[in-house]
Amino acid sequence: MSQSTPRCGEDPVYTLDDLGWTEEHESAFSKYTGPYLAGRVACRQKTVWDVLVDGGSVTAGISGALRKLGRFPAVGDFVVLLHQPEAGTSMIVDILPQKTRFARGGEGGDQVIAANIDTVFIVTAAGRDLNARRIERYLALAHASGARPVIVINKSDLADDPATLAAELAAVSPGTPVVPISAMSGEGVDRLAPYLSPRTTVALIGSSGVGKSTLINRLMGCPVQETSDVRDYDERGRHTTTVRQLFVLEGGALMIDNPGLREVGIGLASAGIAETFPEILELAEGCRFSDCRHEEEPGCAVQAAVAAGTLPAARLESFQRLMRELAFEEEKAEIGLVRLEKKRWKAIGKDARDLWKIKGR
Ligand SMILES: Nc1nc2c(ncn2[C@@H]2O[C@H](COP(=O)(O)OP(=O)(O)OP(=O)(O)O)[C@@H](O)[C@H]2O)c(=O)[nH]1
Ligand SMILES: [Mg+2]
Ligand SMILES: [Zn+2]
């Protein structure tokens, strides 16, 4: 038994029903007879999955067949486990049909990063984070996933007039609920109740530092997630949460905390960079190396623009600072994704527009 989904006090004990199991899952699972268990993925750590099962949780690997097919279970997936208690191990052998999925594009096609989400809380914070264009992109992502979006304006305690902020955002997203709250003080959090009925799954997305984990802690009724303060000089977060994880809230809803920006956010972050530094990305098309970091590489068109005085050096510095923060050890891979994700966002944006047309907006 693992400690994957902590709850204050005793170890959690849930039934499959508590975890959102439905008749569809039951019928898909009915073909398995023998030493099989059903469960829901709470957390993935590279090659090991924490799976909540009836009455506890297990840590499991995946079968060679799934691996070969590139079918890696995502947080929120309902899975079939081959339970081998004598060996003390469990192995995921199947993924049950998904109701919704969050995916990001990649060379090998879509990679599912979270599954079976009913509602997405797009969490933003009063202050610097609040950005209508970013929210539009999060909305497009939510629409593409099949989940229903709700915009949560956190840190409303810091706003002079939270109602005006809410009205502004309501204007960019007709039809999407906008709920100002303070996760810290608890003010307004009860207005989230309509989206938190037992057994429904909510995912939190939003930039680092907006208070996603603080909200989880409040809704859990005790601290399960680490949080840390934002940086004074630009109000950005410190990427405190590093793995995606599903929690069962006090009220019975299931909630997935996500790392801000850096992971779910690869796409979001990259799109944010594309939006914030369009002239640098355009210049970068002229660099000799496609993974040019615009430092000391030969044939760098961005450095050339700085030298020619057409690009302020300070712009390049802030671009590089942001890229360094995003990149960590996966630096090159992630920078390579910028272009890829830019394309993908265009595609998602189009899908979302089509959707809105269908709905007559
Ligand atoms: N004033 C105020 N501060 C808040 C509120 N909610 C969270 N914070 C603070 O914002 C900071 C960041 O909160 P986190 O919960 O760690 O943010 P996060 O979105 O989980 O960030 P990552 O895990 O890095 O993605 C912490 O210092 C919190 O105390 C709020 O409602 N009001
Ligand atoms: Mg967090
Ligand atoms: Zn360059």
Side-chain angles (χ1 to χ4, degrees), residues 8-330:
C8 322
E10 286 133 59
D11 264 359
V13 178
Y14 307 113
T15 65
L16 274 179
D17 282 347
D18 293 336
L19 300 172
W21 185 254
T22 62
E23 270 171 28
E24 276 167 42
H25 298 125
E26 187 64 48
S27 82
F29 183 56
S30 63
K31 69 174 180 197
Y32 288 94
T33 50
Y36 294 103
L37 266 182
R40 190 165 192 194
V41 175
C43 191
R44 175 185 174 180
Q45 320 244 17
K46 292 205 173 87
T47 56
V48 173
W49 284 257
D50 291 324
V51 183
L52 297 173
V53 297
D54 207 341
S57 67
V58 294
T59 302
I62 63 167
S63 68
L66 283 181
R67 189 175 299 280
K68 226 182 209 162
L69 292 168
R71 292 184 70 207
F72 296 97
V75 171
D77 261 324
F78 286 94
V79 295
V80 178
L81 294 151
L82 177 60
H83 196 46
Q84 301 155 308
E86 66 291 348
T89 62
S90 293
M91 189 169 65
I92 298 171
V93 295
D94 199 5
I95 302 171
L96 297 178
Q98 297 161 332
K99 187 158 94 180
T100 62
R101 75 184 69 163
F102 267 86
R104 67 166 179 244
E107 269 147 49
D110 276 354
Q111 184 196 354
V112 178
I113 54 182
N116 301 312
I117 292 157
D118 299 298
T119 302
V120 181
F121 284 181
I122 298 171
V123 187
T124 182
R128 277 260 199 126
D129 186 70
L130 209 80
N131 173 320
R133 297 209 41 210
R134 184 186 306 127
I135 294 193
E136 280 167 359
R137 281 195 305 275
Y138 281 107
L139 279 168
L141 181 77
H143 285 299
S145 77
R148 170 172 74 149
V150 173
I151 298 171
V152 176
I153 307 179
N154 190 31
K155 308 196 188 183
S156 62
D157 54 292
L158 300 179
D160 296 330
D161 186 3
T164 304
L165 286 183
E168 273 169 31
L169 289 186
V172 298
S173 58
T176 305
V178 181
V179 187
I181 64 159
S182 170
M184 192 134 105
S185 74
E187 174 84 31
V189 170
D190 52 349
R191 270 180 262 148
L192 298 175
Y195 315 104
L196 298 175
S197 44
R199 293 179 297 281
T200 58
T201 306
V202 178
L204 302 180
I205 60 172
S207 315
S208 177
V210 295
K212 300 178 294 299
S213 300
T214 307
L215 179 59
I216 290 255
N217 289 344
R218 172 154 299 275
L219 295 170
M220 288 292 290
C222 63
V224 289
Q225 284 291 70
E226 229 178 275
T227 63
S228 50
D229 58 345
V230 296
R231 305 181 312 207
D232 287 339
Y233 62 96
D234 61 0
E235 293 183 21
R236 286 190 195 275
R238 299 175 193 271
H239 300 286
T240 310
T241 305
T242 55
V243 290
R244 180 168 301 111
Q245 190 165 352
L246 179 133
F247 296 92
V248 184
L249 303 180
E250 213 173 29
L254 298 127
M255 193 171 264
I256 298 174
D257 193 7
N258 279 299
L261 230 108
R262 185 170 116 201
E263 214 210 322
V264 136
I266 278 186
L268 304 168
S270 306
I273 286 177
E275 179 200 86
T276 318
F277 301 99
E279 82 280 34
I280 294 183
L281 291 187
E282 200 159 298
L283 285 166
E285 307 262 315
C287 294
R288 183 177 308 161
F289 301 110
S290 62
D291 63 348
C292 185
R293 294 199 276 174
H294 324 308
E295 282 164 4
E296 284 161 7
E297 293 90 341
C300 175
V302 177
Q303 284 290 356
V306 173
T310 51
L311 177 72
R315 279 289 284 170
L316 179 56
E317 273 160 34
S318 46
F319 173 81
Q320 285 168 330
R321 189 178 57 214
L322 188 55
M323 290 306 267
R324 272 196 299 274
E325 278 161 22
L326 284 171
F328 291 87
E329 64 282 1
E330 287 176 285

